[in-house]
Amino acid sequence: MTKTASPSPSSPPLVAGLLLAAGGGRRLGGRPKALLPYRGRPLVEHAVRVLREGGCAVVHVVLGASAELVRERAELPGCVVVENPEWEGGMGSSLRVGLASLAADPGGVDAALVSLVDQPGIGAAAVARVRGAYGGRDALAAASYGGRRGHPVLFGADRWAGIAAGAEGDRGAREYLAAHRDAIALVECGDVAEPFDVDTEADLYRLEG
């Protein structure tokens, strides 16, 4: 396989946003998380906007549950939208689909900044901080909250094959990151973001207002 050439010295690296939005909301009564209402619009639109405002001009979105309905109801102009037919198998399959989509991007992506659709407390400031930790195509970086690793995470393109190889079930990149913990640049974001998940009915209040 031919590797994408690195940008010329005059070209900035391309750090693309990768939004994982395939979840079916099993503990939310089967409501796709991408379509949860947030400020009058589907949550997936907010998540895409956060990535763009954080500096990711290119955004790939992985859909799964009710993908056609999400395409109909959500406005995602300019995004590369791909579907994960195996979304019920967990986040790992969505990560693999997303990284494959980025690898095929004709723009030549140098790193993926991965975020989750169900974390609306993580805004553009955290995205920008983690994006700023890019140091090359072998980069590994992650937001940190009081010293605890969280999202978003940044994977240099040279890491994608190894990450995809271990991305199974709901583990995502967890095992890869654990095996390479010494290479991860932790970026403290606890002062600008809240890393909560919207997983259950009890969490829906976080989407109000």
Side-chain angles (χ1 to χ4, degrees), residues 133 136 138-142 154-156 159 163 176-177 180-181 183-186:
D138 63 345
L140 278 180
L154 183 144
F155 303 137
R159 302 274 185 177
I163 291 168
Y176 185 92
L177 292 173
H180 297 81
R181 61 171 57 89
I184 302 170
L186 292 179

Side-chain angles (χ1 to χ4, degrees), residues 3-7 12-16 58 60 101-111 134 137 157 160:
K3 292 182 63 176
T4 302
S6 298
L14 178 52
V15 178
V58 173
H60 288 226
S101 179
L102 289 175
D105 191 298
V109 178
D110 296 292
Y134 175 84
R137 289 171 62 91
W160 295 352

Side-chain angles (χ1 to χ4, degrees), residues 12-18 47-61 76-80 102 105 107 109-113 127-128 131:
L14 178 52
V15 178
L18 176 56
V48 166
R49 184 166 58 253
V50 163
L51 286 170
R52 286 188 168 142
E53 291 178 355
C56 297
V58 173
V59 177
H60 288 226
V61 180
L76 304 172
C79 293
V80 177
L102 289 175
D105 191 298
V109 178
D110 296 292
L113 193 144
V127 169
R131 182 178 177 274

Side-chain angles (χ1 to χ4, degrees), residues 179-194:
H180 297 81
R181 61 171 57 89
D182 291 342
I184 302 170
L186 292 179
V187 183
E188 182 57 44
C189 294
D191 59 322
V192 295
E194 296 181 81

